[in-house]
Amino acid sequence: GDSVTQTEGQVALSEEDFLTIHCNYSASGYPALFWYVQYPGEGPQFLFRASRDKEKGSSRGFEATYDKGTTSFHLRKASVQESDSAVYYCALGNYAQGLTFGLGTRVSVFP
Amino acid sequence: EAAVTQSPRNKVAVTGGKVTLSCNQTNNHNNMYWYRQDTGHGLRLIHYSYGAGSTEKGDIPDGYKASRPSQENFSLILELATPSQTSVYFCASGDSDSTEVFFGKGTRLTVV
């Protein structure tokens, strides 16, 4: 079945550091790819999506590019803030049958 | 604003008892979903629905039933709760016309 692998389980950074979270997927067909963010006590919130090869999604300074060749959708942000501390999920799928999520990456940003 | 409301937010249940988790959405979305979230497993899809009267099995449906009596409401039912079902459960809604799936705030279920 479809699957999503996030390489980093936890990331600790200082403010203004560069953030990268690696996401690779395995799926039949041409799935849409997503990034979600979850803050404590809340449900996951949509960050952005991409639906085709080379498409870049972005929001709130975060961005990722759909790469069908390397089956990747890595999340990047140039300069993180303490308020970016959260759990980030990469996901794939469609609205008809739901999304398949990775295990999540806990990001902690220290002042 | 899109909204998904879950009730209760916290629940303690006894092993072997029946548990019903409720979800209401005001987004007029056709699709609704139930996920559980566990450390080491991320979010896993239990059941989903295409609309009123429909329920479909997700990736981990064993031990769970779902009910979609209306466009707005989607329930998750544990007929015989077990401690392994202790988890945080999230309901969500979405459809092909929206750009995202909206999640509720979750229900923390503890089965003792």
Side-chain angles (χ1 to χ4, degrees):
Chain A
D2 297 348
S3 65
V4 175
T5 301
Q6 291 178 234
T7 309
E8 297 86 359
Q10 295 187 76
V11 175
L13 300 164
S14 299
E15 282 192 320
E16 301 183 10
D17 279 354
F18 193 99
L19 169 69
T20 300
I21 301 175
H22 295 94
C23 172
N24 289 90
Y25 69 91
S26 173
S28 56
Y30 212 144
L33 301 175
F34 303 79
W35 277 101
Y36 277 76
V37 59
Q38 185 177 24
Y39 300 100
E42 301 285 328
Q45 299 174 15
F46 175 82
L47 259 184
F48 56 80
R49 63 176 283 177
S51 302
R52 58 187 181 277
D53 193 23
K54 306 307 181 205
E55 180 180 358
K56 183 165 80 173
S58 64
S59 176
R60 310 185 211 175
F62 294 91
E63 62 178 43
T65 300
Y66 194 135
D67 190 328
K68 194 170 187 295
T70 59
T71 61
S72 67
F73 193 53
H74 305 318
L75 181 69
R76 294 185 169 91
K77 186 174 185 183
S79 176
V80 295
Q81 301 302 311
E82 194 173 0
S83 58
D84 294 323
S85 297
V87 179
Y88 293 81
Y89 288 96
C90 184
L92 63 80
N94 60 72
Y95 299 114
Q97 282 128 6
L99 303 182
T100 297
F101 287 84
L103 296 186
T105 299
R106 181 175 301 277
V107 174
S108 300
V109 181
F110 299 96
Chain B
E1 183 175 308
V4 177
T5 304
Q6 295 183 231
S7 62
R9 292 295 314 279
N10 290 280
K11 171 80 176 175
V12 179
V14 176
T15 297
K18 182 176 180 178
V19 177
T20 300
L21 307 183
S22 299
C23 178
N24 175 274
Q25 55 110 350
T26 58
N27 308 319
N28 199 31
H29 287 157
N30 291 325
N31 299 335
M32 295 186 74
Y33 320 87
W34 276 106
Y35 288 86
R36 64 178 284 177
Q37 184 176 48
D38 304 284
T39 302
H41 292 279
L43 287 147
R44 293 180 289 173
L45 183 64
I46 306 169
H47 283 288
Y48 59 99
S49 167
Y50 295 124
S54 101
T55 61
E56 306 290 335
K57 294 180 179 179
D59 298 323
I60 54 163
D62 292 346
Y64 302 93
K65 289 172 53 178
S67 173
R68 182 88 181 271
S70 66
Q71 178 84 338
E72 297 79 19
N73 296 294
F74 190 38
S75 298
L76 185 68
I77 302 151
L78 292 66
E79 295 277 6
L80 294 169
T82 69
S84 65
Q85 294 175 312
T86 293
S87 185
V88 180
Y89 291 85
F90 288 98
C91 177
S93 75
D95 63 27
S96 58
D97 292 331
S98 65
T99 58
E100 58 183 286
V101 170
F102 294 89
F103 282 80
K105 291 182 181 293
T107 295
R108 183 174 297 277
L109 173 66
T110 303
V111 182
V112 297

